[in-house]
Amino acid sequence: MRSLGPFSGVIQIYSGSVKRMFSFFKRKKPSPAETDQQDSVAPAEDSSSDQREPEPLPVPDDLLEPAQSQPEEPAQPLQQPQLPDSTVQPLQPPPLPDNPVQPSQPAALPDSPVQPLQPPALPDRPLQPSQQSPLPESLIQPAITPAADILQAGTTADAESLRPVQARESDPLIPTPLETEKTSWLTRLKKGLSRTGQNIGGLFVGVKVDESLFEDLETALIMADAGVEATEKLLTALRARVRKERLTEGGQVKAALRDILADHLAPLEKPFPLGKASPLVIMIAGVNGAGKTTSIGKLAYAFQAQGAKVLLAAGDTFRAAAREQLMEWGARNNVTVIAQDGGDPAAVAFDAVNAGRAREAGVVMVDTAGRLPTQLHLMEELKKIKRVIGKADGAAPHEVLLVIDGNTGQNAIAQIRAFDAAINLTGLVVTKLDGTAKGGTLAAVAAGSQGVRPVPVYWIGVGESLNDLQPFVAREFAAALIGD
């Protein structure tokens, strides 16, 4: 066989395998009789097959010949292609032209300057109103049409557009801060007197105007601390109004009672005479816990808001921390306080009047210690303070105010009568109407119940803030008292 080098052994093995394959197919196929005979002896052969090893297949002679070893040729390494001797030349940029590019020159402007546009010439003779075509009224806009053109046109429609726009009654108005504060004050007043307002105002809801209504009104007014005299006076006037005006509805009777009560309280409504003297000396008195010191602080704030210079005198030398409380109110309002540690209250008042005159103060308020009208020696001390103030200023004190608690009821009548007999009161300050106050006491004062003199009411208070002390207005108080 021709030598094929290292592949000769593989080819010999392959050719032997092919020969065995063809020899297998060339074997004689057994006959059917031989097949049956083999099947009959098959069990015996199977039984002995486990003990006899299988015979190896014959190997062809040509496969037993040892392959002749051929000398192996060493593997040749891959040869890299030979590059040409000439190296690759880099790309050269194209040569630039000799003459560089010149920048573009701006276009030359003409020698003659640009002439501005001239407005078209107006005719020498202005247009007459008759030559203008009338416009429909829907196209006339007074807010855009110039006033000069309107005056020149002289048409009726344009003249109407020049008139100022009148506010309609239905247009909502923005409330001013003063109106808002006033509304808030009335709301607090009605809330403070809500108990009495519900008791009296609830009687007029779906009621028949007869004698039974007047009896219920009499009970409600007496329960509101109005007193017997004031109640009889109010109901007598109300019956006469109902008969005269033939009132048949509860709302009409309620409105009539409000007007009658406002007229009844009108003598107590009096503006405070601020500025009638310089300095205006005010003496403050009252029972214990009525709110004298707090009312002085609120009045100082109100007087300063009106442009007056205020000076305070701490005449309450008996109560603990009374001087410190008044000094705190003075610090809040930036007001000077005249005080002595453990001094005589009359001496403090005397020094305060002289200091107010020297410092050109507009108002000097003198605080006094709280006392009951039944304590005669304390009432004599109060008379002494008033006499000493008169020595510092012959016309002083110009105003003597009594602070009463609105919750005391008919006891306020006794306080007013006792203090008025001692120091001759000129005005009242009613406080704490935001609590359980019934409010009818002022009706009793206006009616002169129990021999009391109708002393004017300058201020009423419904809270603790600085703005909660407001001047007394009879109609507002009457409306809040009946829940209107």
Side-chain angles (χ1 to χ4, degrees):
M1 181 181 293
R2 186 179 176 181
S3 175
L4 296 178
F7 301 98
S8 59
V10 177
I11 295 175
Q12 292 176 3
I13 296 173
Y14 179 76
S15 60
S17 301
V18 173
K19 289 179 181 182
R20 288 197 304 272
M21 185 181 302
F22 281 101
S23 63
F24 175 80
F25 288 104
K26 288 179 180 182
R27 292 177 183 178
K28 181 179 178 180
K29 184 176 182 181
S31 62
E34 296 176 354
T35 306
D36 297 336
Q37 185 178 2
Q38 291 178 359
D39 295 335
S40 61
V41 298
E45 293 177 358
D46 295 337
S47 61
S48 62
S49 61
D50 298 334
Q51 300 176 358
R52 186 176 54 188
E53 297 179 357
E55 296 179 359
L57 294 176
V59 180
D61 298 337
D62 53 354
L63 294 178
L64 297 176
E65 296 179 1
Q68 298 179 1
S69 60
Q70 298 294 333
E72 296 181 0
E73 297 179 0
Q76 300 294 332
L78 295 177
Q79 301 293 332
Q80 296 182 356
Q82 299 293 331
L83 297 176
D85 297 338
S86 60
T87 59
V88 179
Q89 301 295 332
L91 295 178
Q92 300 294 333
L96 297 176
D98 298 337
N99 52 345
V101 179
Q102 300 295 330
S104 58
Q105 300 294 334
L109 298 176
D111 298 337
S112 58
V114 179
Q115 300 294 332
L117 294 177
Q118 301 293 333
L122 299 176
D124 298 337
R125 182 179 58 185
L127 296 178
Q128 300 297 327
S130 59
Q131 296 177 2
Q132 296 180 355
S133 59
L135 296 176
E137 296 182 358
S138 60
L139 298 180
I140 299 176
Q141 300 180 0
I144 302 177
T145 306
D149 297 343
I150 296 176
L151 294 176
Q152 183 177 358
T155 60
T156 305
D158 293 343
E160 292 291 336
S161 64
L162 287 177
R163 295 180 180 178
V165 179
Q166 300 293 335
R168 297 188 300 269
E169 295 181 359
S170 60
D171 293 342
L173 300 178
I174 300 176
T176 61
L178 184 59
E179 294 176 351
T180 304
E181 181 180 353
K182 189 66 174 179
T183 304
S184 177
W185 154 254
L186 292 177
T187 303
R188 293 194 300 271
L189 179 61
K190 292 180 180 180
K191 184 178 179 180
L193 300 176
S194 60
R195 176 178 299 183
T196 303
Q198 292 175 0
N199 294 336
I200 298 178
L203 300 176
F204 300 98
V205 179
V207 68
K208 182 180 179 181
V209 181
D210 54 6
E211 188 61 27
S212 177
L213 174 61
F214 292 103
E215 292 178 359
D216 294 339
L217 284 176
E218 181 179 4
T219 303
L221 289 174
I222 292 177
M223 293 296 295
D225 294 334
V228 177
E229 297 180 6
T231 301
E232 293 179 355
K233 185 176 180 180
L234 291 174
L235 292 181
T236 301
L238 182 61
R239 286 190 177 94
R241 177 77 65 87
V242 171
R243 289 193 300 267
K244 180 180 179 180
E245 299 181 2
R246 300 180 181 275
L247 304 179
T248 58
E249 296 182 1
Q252 296 175 349
V253 179
K254 182 179 181 180
L257 178 60
R258 179 192 59 200
D259 297 338
I260 293 174
L261 184 58
D263 296 339
H264 178 75
L265 297 174
L268 304 182
E269 181 180 344
K270 180 181 179 182
F272 185 76
L274 182 64
K276 72 175 184 179
S278 182
L280 180 65
V281 181
I282 304 173
M283 182 178 175
I284 310 294
V287 299
N288 306 79
K292 297 183 301 300
T293 307
T294 304
S295 299
I296 290 175
K298 295 179 180 180
L299 289 177
Y301 175 79
F303 292 152
Q304 281 188 322
Q306 301 179 29
K309 185 178 179 181
V310 182
L311 183 67
L312 304 181
D316 187 358
T317 59
F318 177 78
R319 181 170 62 91
R323 181 172 60 92
E324 286 76 11
Q325 181 183 3
L326 189 62
M327 293 179 66
E328 176 63 25
W329 276 107
R332 292 183 184 181
N333 298 319
N334 195 18
V335 174
T336 304
V337 179
I338 304 298
Q340 295 180 6
D341 190 6
D344 183 31
V348 175
F350 184 84
D351 294 341
V353 174
N354 293 328
R357 186 186 301 108
R359 301 180 185 185
E360 298 181 355
V363 178
V364 176
M365 286 189 288
V366 181
D367 188 16
T368 59
R371 65 205 70 215
L372 295 176
T374 56
Q375 297 172 338
L376 300 180
H377 63 288
L378 295 180
M379 297 299 291
E380 292 295 331
E381 183 184 22
L382 192 62
K383 295 178 182 179
K384 175 186 175 182
I385 296 175
K386 183 180 179 183
R387 290 195 303 268
V388 172
I389 292 176
K391 294 180 179 180
D393 187 347
H398 304 92
E399 295 289 336
V400 180
L401 305 182
L402 176 66
V403 180
I404 59 176
D405 189 348
N407 299 311
T408 56
Q410 287 291 314
N411 190 25
I413 303 298
Q415 295 179 19
I416 296 173
R417 186 173 61 251
F419 279 94
D420 187 26
I423 55 178
N424 191 16
L425 299 177
T426 60
L428 300 177
V429 179
V430 183
T431 62
K432 304 180 182 180
L433 289 177
D434 56 331
T436 60
K438 299 178 181 180
T441 307
L442 297 184
V445 174
S449 299
Q450 303 178 18
V452 68
R453 183 173 63 91
V455 182
V457 179
Y458 287 136
W459 294 281
I460 56 177
V462 294
E464 297 179 357
S465 65
L466 292 175
N467 294 323
D468 287 338
L469 192 66
Q470 296 290 332
F472 173 74
V473 180
R475 183 163 296 276
E476 295 176 357
F477 190 84
L481 194 62
I482 65 172
D484 192 6

